[in-house]
Amino acid sequence: MPSGKILVAQGGGPTAVINQSLVGVTLEARRFKQVERVYGARHGVRGIINEDFVDLTQETSHNLELVANTPSSALGSTRDKPDLKYCQEIFQVLRAHEIEHFFYIGGNDSSDTVRIVSEEARKAGYPLRSIHIPKTIDNDLVGNDHTPGFPSAARFVAQAFTGANLDNASLPGVYVGVVMGRHAGFLTAASALGKKFPDDGPHLIYLPERTFVLEKFLADVKATYERFGRCVIAVSEGIHDVSGAPIASLLAKEMEHDAHGNVQLSGTGAMADLLCEEIKSKLGIKRVRGDTFGYLQRSFIGCVSDVDQREAREVGEKAVQFAMWGDRDGSVAIKRTGYYSVEYELLPLEAVAGKTRVMEDEFITASGTDITDAFRLYLRPLLGSGMPDAFRLRHSPVAKVRDQG
Amino acid sequence: MPSGKILVAQGGGPTAVINQSLVGVTLEARRFKQVERVYGARHGVRGIINEDFVDLTQETSHNLELVANTPSSALGSTRDKPDLKYCQEIFQVLRAHEIEHFFYIGGNDSSDTVRIVSEEARKAGYPLRSIHIPKTIDNDLVGNDHTPGFPSAARFVAQAFTGANLDNASLPGVYVGVVMGRHAGFLTAASALGKKFPDDGPHLIYLPERTFVLEKFLADVKATYERFGRCVIAVSEGIHDVSGAPIASLLAKEMEHDAHGNVQLSGTGAMADLLCEEIKSKLGIKRVRGDTFGYLQRSFIGCVSDVDQREAREVGEKAVQFAMWGDRDGSVAIKRTGYYSVEYELLPLEAVAGKTRVMEDEFITASGTDITDAFRLYLRPLLGSGMPDAFRLRHSPVAKVRDQG
């Protein structure tokens, strides 16, 4: 018999829709009469260790709906990645509070946390149901068609490149936009969805799925600049050389490491600046500008995909249904079933945990610097309704009168 | 008698609504039966010198309406600032094409161009009507309550800080967002409109209207971090020391200069990175992140103030009306008449040209690191309808059970 108490937490980097999943869990759980309390742990697993819980049963449905539409993690997040000892401590807290359902919303690090907690519970003979709910702007969870959070970040990136391309066409030069994505290039590739007319940028896209060679990059930029008189470039923060060493490491002398051993590539404009310097000095182009999209792309308010909102809500709801009516732990996954429709399924935690999906080869052109129509077809429905569209003047030239004489 | 030909051009940095003014001029001019042709010069005054004109009379009204809603300068822009010789050449072209109405949409550099062209026409006895149409995200034109382009950029900055604050609350640390604005801090100050709850960021705002002292900055950050456990900071790219030397110059060893003699502060993430380094090394705070908003803030598609769109359209329309029915050259200006309503007037070019407005003292708190309610009241109606709002969970703590024993 269930204890009547469930716990939900949010881990990893925030997204524009992660609160939809939180509210999906909370409201759906409140419909089950055996659920007495819905607790939220503040700042992820760290909040479990610290017994830092809030009672979401005392929150109004109305405010929950408003929070659902607010970006970032309303419960707070953490970068902690529990080891065995950490997980044993999680148990002591869960047991002490008689919590028997644990929902953790996060990316592949978080899914690994759920896997470890689930195993520890089984070994300890504690009746815990553990469900991982997917979330990541990187879109790098295996077993998922895509992950909640990615479509809204992709929409931001596409809209940003639509604007950057128009800006660059107005004052021609070279523009470099650096996009998040440590191992997977999906978000950088989304820049291509900002293109409309054939000569629109981004003209070149550099993904972590392909080796970055500086000389090739400069040759690409030169050729594009000569052809269009300008060049718009999308670059993933995770680009690396043939040895796998991040290009960013050429620049940042001291690199920060977070608790997961990941090099900090976000929160600094160094790579954009270095690439711009290379273009200026090696190609002799005067007007070269770089932007690093940074945190804007994952928590911007007011640029959200309605498809993403809907799905993020549903993975939260389905997680509760799988937990209440099912007989196993797992990771909720999105499966595409049509053009465009989805179903949700519960994957074994081992199938998802700690694994990293990268862009499929069919999504990248042979040149390695553009995306295919297959990717365009894949991403477009995810961006949702009401995507803004760019228009231009038709060219009706007026004859010169001065130079004719 | 008018020649029947008018010329319109766009100068300086693009905005999200500058095409509204272009279309306002074009459609309004097409209503006057004495107007035979509406020409657009491509890439500003440079396009006049090059006789690079397009015939906007051959464009459909429908496409013009769509272009009006597209950010950036549809005709292209330029950073050229004409001197006397340049202006004499402009004449030769205008005279050769029998153009007798010249509309130039731009900021204070562009207004100065219109002033010189107007003077040259008068001296040469050439019957030219020259009207400057205001545009700048910096909001630094004197004689205007505000300038078209600023409200939409301000909306982007406010929304960006709403998201950045939520992100920072989720994963606490220090966040530095660098905002455009060489001499005027209006756009940086707009970050404060992203605040809702009393402890929301931006907690500190650094404007070019106040001297930046690094030691004071670090003390401010330390105090804020100790109070809230986190700190969100908005910094203008134009901050400077007591001698007026830009803080950015401490960092960038080689600084680019554009044709106007302005130091290039945009298109590099150097200042954000330097400030983050200072905070890390001097205050010992581990999680410090910086974003440079760069070009995103001026040309982002899909984050536009409807008030800004409406007014940008009207300054274009009024420019034509002033030209056709008036008897003098000038600069169209927005005058606030109520809460919230505006009227348009034609100022003498000398009153606007080449002058720079900065933030009024009443808009800045005594501390120098925040804005007043007067500024909040000034800016809020400009941001337009449908501003997204952020919500948070109410705190209903659950009693700890482990630590009681």
Side-chain angles (χ1 to χ4, degrees), chain B residues 14 50 66 90 109 118 121 146 153 159 166 184 217 232 245 251 256 273-274 284 305 325 336 343 350 353:
Chain B
N50 293 342
L66 295 168
I90 286 178
D109 288 335
S118 170
H146 60 280
Q159 291 188 203
L166 290 164
F217 168 78
V232 176
L251 351 161
E256 260 194 342
D273 292 350
L274 171 107
S305 157
W325 296 327
R336 188 183 301 223
E343 293 293 341
E350 308 78 55

Side-chain angles (χ1 to χ4, degrees), chain A residues 12-14 22 39 42-43 48-56 58-60 63-64 66-67 69-79 89 92-93 96-97 156 159-160 162-164 166-167 169-172 175 256-258 264 266-270 273 276 280 286-296 298-303 388-403, chain B residues 12-14 22 39 42-43 48-56 58-60 63-64 66-67 69-79 89 92-93 96-97 156 159-160 162-164 166-167 169-172 175 256-258 264 266-270 273 276 280 286-296 298-303 388-403:
Chain A
L22 171 68
Y39 289 169
R42 297 183 69 219
H43 297 288
I48 304 181
I49 299 298
N50 293 342
E51 278 188 274
D52 190 2
F53 295 163
V54 292
D55 185 357
L56 297 172
Q58 296 185 45
E59 187 54 90
T60 64
N63 196 49
L64 283 170
L66 295 168
V67 168
N69 284 308
T70 302
S72 190
S73 310
L75 285 172
S77 191
T78 180
R79 289 293 186 184
E89 219 182 326
Q92 291 165 16
V93 176
H97 282 271
F156 180 91
Q159 290 188 202
T162 295
L166 290 164
D167 199 300
S170 166
L171 288 169
Y175 177 84
E256 260 195 342
H257 290 258
D258 69 21
Q264 185 209 327
S266 305
T268 155
D273 292 348
C276 287
K280 278 187 217 178
K286 194 170 178 294
R287 192 170 191 279
V288 184
R289 302 290 187 266
D291 281 335
T292 303
F293 288 7
Y295 292 93
L296 298 186
R298 78 178 185 196
S299 292
F300 196 82
I301 196 167
C303 179
D389 197 1
F391 294 84
R392 56 168 69 169
L393 296 169
R394 294 185 185 90
H395 190 60
S396 305
V398 173
K400 298 187 189 221
V401 296
R402 265 209 312 173
D403 298 345
Chain B
L22 171 68
Y39 289 170
R42 298 184 67 220
H43 296 289
I48 304 180
I49 298 297
N50 293 342
E51 278 187 272
D52 189 1
F53 294 163
V54 292
D55 185 356
L56 297 171
Q58 296 185 45
E59 188 55 270
T60 64
N63 196 50
L64 284 169
L66 295 168
V67 168
N69 284 307
T70 302
S72 191
S73 310
L75 285 172
S77 191
T78 180
R79 289 293 186 185
E89 219 180 327
Q92 291 165 17
V93 177
H97 282 271
F156 180 91
Q159 291 188 203
T162 295
L166 290 164
D167 200 300
S170 166
L171 288 169
Y175 177 84
E256 260 194 342
H257 290 258
D258 69 18
Q264 185 208 328
S266 305
T268 156
D273 292 350
C276 288
K280 278 186 216 177
K286 193 170 178 297
R287 190 168 191 280
V288 184
R289 301 291 186 266
D291 282 335
T292 304
F293 288 8
Y295 292 95
L296 298 186
R298 77 178 184 195
S299 292
F300 197 82
I301 195 168
C303 179
D389 197 0
F391 294 84
R392 56 168 69 170
L393 296 169
R394 293 185 186 90
H395 190 60
S396 305
V398 173
K400 298 187 188 220
V401 296
R402 265 208 314 173
D403 298 345

